[in-house]
């Protein structure tokens, strides 16, 4: 395929020969304004010589130009290293890697570190291989961190697969694996769980990076213990003090700005309100919907958000380039415009707006004028990846009834999950809820409706039921197979009939997201690949997502990216109260808890 990647060891003689002028460059960029992330300065009228996809010289490149050298005039443009996303779940874009790459490269993204634990929870190591094989067909540099927690919380949920220490150890030998995926089981790390530490050991012995997920507000002995185990970075900071504590302890704080998680506004205060060195700060997206990628951008938008919050533009670019490369110990090849590095370069016309005009990967133009200009072949995905809705039967409205037998008519105290808009955490509330004829009801005045999680991988028949507050839904139901991290069938709704229809629609469709109102489907987004991804182009997925968003609004919901907030209801590694197919989980104390409070 085009855009060949050469290891540095293969081309040292060529790079030296071009730098000295004995051989001529394949490409020379002239007259640009170099954003030097090594020194934090802007250097005017700089040239860059490129051969075999790597940078041979930065400075005056006149002596490296030959009759066959491609000249790129960068006059009036800033030249920055390619942007790198240090923590991303590609599946959350609802696109396979090919379409994802096509969508993000025009926004200056030249490398990502994907954690495919979404598909890993559905299809196991086969799913991870599927994503990595897809990545071989794109110019975007796609590095993989092997999912560490499949299932995310053993014993509290049922996923479609299990990945253990032996799988982790074997995967560390795979080409393209950069380390271990986010270690969400921080209680297991801190308590000394043998299997968890076996995964850490396998990663460290392979000299790879352990990526983290420390979502607790505690920054004392627990955080110290977590970092001492070898965890190098964490994207779960939601407060400035969290990010600052991590950086002070030598952990890379990955400041997150996705479609639903708008954390940069708070976490970047760790930098803007403190006179600290920013070498341990990076910017990441974590989860981003196609509509966000198309309308706002990817790493260019996140860099811009940091600038808007008061970060110096050069510092913000360092947080998406050299800092990321150093975090993953790949700065010999990536992260700066320096001799020997891969020629991954972003051309920017407006620095504060981070307006990307053109993108090079391995010295070749892959995107220009906001469009990918290289051909990426369409993927063909195997049948097993599209046969993942194994509930075993059609569901009925009775399945969604919450029985509270031996309770008199009136009200009982119940545990309720209260969501927080655009945040990953929720609150465990205790609310008085109505009971009639032994059945627990909802309470729209309190904005409390039903939630259910149905196992969908092995037809076990298990189903958890609960209550959720904060979606503002007044009627109908929503269902989704994007339900972190086990990705079972998640349903929320006002009435049992619509909840059953929503669930059965996705069983028949093969997975996805659906909205139902008064017995009719009002919005449907099929996601046939593992119940997580579509084969459609990004623009078509975005249109379907927007249509589904309108269906949410018709039901009364006015939240930002409610899909993604809903998808976290079942993620039992986040505080404070979550629902899995096995029941209600107190995620502060990591134990099951009853819906009704005695």
């Amino acid at each position: 395929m085009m855009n060949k990647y050469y290891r540095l060891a293969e081309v040292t003689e060529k790079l030296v020969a071009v730098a000295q002028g004995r051989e001529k460059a394949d490409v020379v960029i002239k007259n640009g304004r170099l954003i030097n992330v090594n020194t934090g300065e802007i250097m005017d009228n700089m040239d860059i010589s490129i051969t075999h996809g790597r940078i041979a010289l930065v400075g005056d490149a006149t002596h490296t130009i030959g009759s066959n050298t491609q000249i790129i005039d960068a006059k009036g443009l800033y030249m920055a290293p390619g942007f790198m996303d240090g923590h991303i779940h590609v599946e959350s874009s609802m696109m396979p890697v090919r379409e994802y790459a096509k969508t993000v490269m025009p926004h200056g993204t030249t490398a990502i570190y994907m954690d495919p634990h979404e598909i890993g929870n559905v299809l196991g190591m086969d799913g991870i291989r599927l994503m990595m094989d897809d990545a071989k067909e794109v110019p975007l540099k796609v590095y993989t961190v092997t999912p560490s927690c499949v299932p995310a919380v053993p014993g509290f949920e049922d996923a479609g697969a299990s990945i253990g220490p032996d799988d982790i150890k074997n995967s560390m030998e795979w080409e393209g694996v950069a380390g271990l995926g986010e270690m969400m089981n921080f209680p297991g790390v801190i308590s000394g769980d043998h299997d968890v530490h076996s995964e850490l050991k396998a990663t460290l012995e392979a000299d790879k990076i352990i990526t983290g997920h420390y979502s607790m507000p505690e920054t004392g002995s627990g955080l110290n213990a977590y970092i001492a185990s070898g965890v190098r970075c964490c994207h779960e900071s939601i407060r400035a003090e969290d990010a600052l504590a991590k950086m002070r302890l030598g952990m890379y704080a990955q400041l997150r700005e996705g479609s639903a998680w708008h954390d940069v506004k708070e976490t970047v205060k760790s930098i803007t309100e403190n006179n600290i060195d920013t070498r341990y700060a990076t910017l990441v997206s974590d989860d981003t919907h196609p509509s966000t990628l198309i309308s706002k951008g990817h790493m260019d938008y996140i860099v811009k958000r940091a600038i808007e919050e008061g970060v110096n533009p050069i510092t913000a670019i360092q947080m998406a380039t050299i800092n990321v490369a150093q975090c993953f110990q790949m700065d010999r090849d990536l992260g700066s415009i320096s001799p020997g590095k891969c020629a991954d370069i972003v051309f920017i016309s407006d620095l504060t707006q981070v307006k990307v005009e053109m993108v090079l990967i391995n010295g070749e133009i892959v995107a220009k004028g906001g469009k990918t200009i290289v051909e990426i072949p369409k993927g063909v995905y195997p049948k097993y990846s599209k046969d993942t809705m194994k509930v075993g039967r059609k569901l009925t409205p009775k399945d969604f009834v919450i029985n509270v037998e031996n309770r008199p008519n009136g009200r009982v105290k119940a545990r309720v999950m209260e969501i927080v808009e655009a945040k990953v955490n929720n609150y465990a509330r205790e609310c008085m809820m109505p009971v009639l004829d032994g059945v627990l009801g909802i309470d729209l005045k309190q904005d409390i409706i039903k939630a259910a999680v149905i196992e969908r991988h092995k037809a076990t028949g298990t189903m958890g039921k609960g209550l959720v507050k904060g979606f503002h839904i007044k009627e109908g139901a929503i269902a989704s197979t994007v339900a972190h991290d086990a990705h079972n069938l998640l349903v929320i709704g006002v009435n049992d009939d619509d909840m059953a229809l929503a669930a059965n629609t996705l069983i028949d469709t093969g997975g996805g997201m659906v909205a139902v109102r008064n017995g009719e489907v009002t919005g449907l987004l099929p996601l046939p690949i593992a119940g997580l991804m579509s084969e459609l182009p990004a623009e078509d997925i975005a249109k379907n997502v927007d249509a589904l968003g309108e269906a949410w609004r018709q039901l009364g919901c006015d939240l930002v990216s409610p899909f993604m907030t809903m998808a976290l209801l079942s993620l039992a590694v986040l505080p404070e109260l979550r629902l899995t197919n096995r029941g209600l989980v107190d995620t502060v104390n990591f134990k099951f808890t009853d819906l009704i409070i005695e």
Side-chain angles (χ1 to χ4, degrees), residues 118-128 130 160-161 384-385 388 529-530:
E118 319 299 358
I119 200 167
N121 270 275
V122 180
L123 297 172
M125 299 304 287
D126 288 340
I128 295 165
L130 182 69
Y384 74 83
S385 70
T388 62
I529 304 173

Side-chain angles (χ1 to χ4, degrees), residues 264-419:
V264 162
K265 184 176 180 65
E266 289 300 322
T267 56
V268 83
K269 292 176 183 176
S270 61
I271 295 168
T272 58
E273 296 182 3
N274 296 278
N275 186 26
I276 63 167
D277 192 307
T278 57
R279 74 182 71 185
Y280 282 104
T282 72
L283 296 168
V284 301
S285 67
D286 196 3
D287 297 304
T288 312
H289 271 184
S291 53
T292 302
L293 295 173
I294 291 170
S295 64
K296 293 182 177 180
H298 183 222
M299 293 309 298
D300 55 344
Y301 171 68
I302 301 174
V303 171
K304 178 184 173 183
R305 283 291 301 117
I307 295 169
E308 289 173 344
E309 295 299 333
V311 177
N312 178 284
I314 299 174
T315 302
I317 289 172
Q318 287 174 322
M319 291 163 63
T321 56
I322 192 168
N323 292 10
V324 183
Q326 290 176 341
C327 173
F328 286 91
Q329 297 179 346
M330 291 188 176
D331 51 310
R332 183 178 67 183
D333 296 308
L334 306 172
S336 67
I337 297 176
S338 309
K341 306 295 191 291
C342 292
D344 300 345
I345 301 170
V346 178
F347 296 83
I348 300 169
S349 58
D350 187 319
L351 189 55
T352 57
Q353 294 298 310
V354 197
K355 183 172 175 49
V356 174
E357 301 294 343
M358 186 167 66
V359 181
L360 267 65
I361 296 180
N362 297 333
E364 295 188 32
I365 301 173
V366 298
K368 191 173 184 179
K371 301 289 184 182
T372 291
I373 62 171
V374 294
E375 188 68 29
I376 296 176
K378 185 175 176 58
V380 178
Y381 303 97
K383 183 179 178 181
Y384 74 83
S385 70
K386 302 179 185 179
D387 182 24
T388 62
M389 292 303 295
K390 298 173 181 176
V391 177
R393 65 181 179 86
K394 289 295 181 79
L395 298 166
T396 70
K398 289 183 179 180
D399 290 314
F400 295 92
V401 173
I402 302 177
N403 291 304
V404 284
E405 297 174 356
N406 303 318
R407 297 283 181 172
N409 292 344
R411 287 192 172 260
V412 296
K413 186 181 289 186
R415 291 184 173 86
V416 176
M417 300 175 287
E418 182 176 3
I419 64 164

Side-chain angles (χ1 to χ4, degrees), residues 191 539 583:
S191 66
E539 292 79 7

Side-chain angles (χ1 to χ4, degrees), residues 38-60:
N38 299 314
T39 54
E41 60 183 326
I42 296 175
M43 304 173 69
D44 290 327
N45 299 315
M46 298 295 288
D47 302 342
I48 303 169
S49 294
I50 299 167
T51 188
H52 290 76
R54 287 182 178 261
I55 297 167
L57 176 144
V58 179
D60 182 356

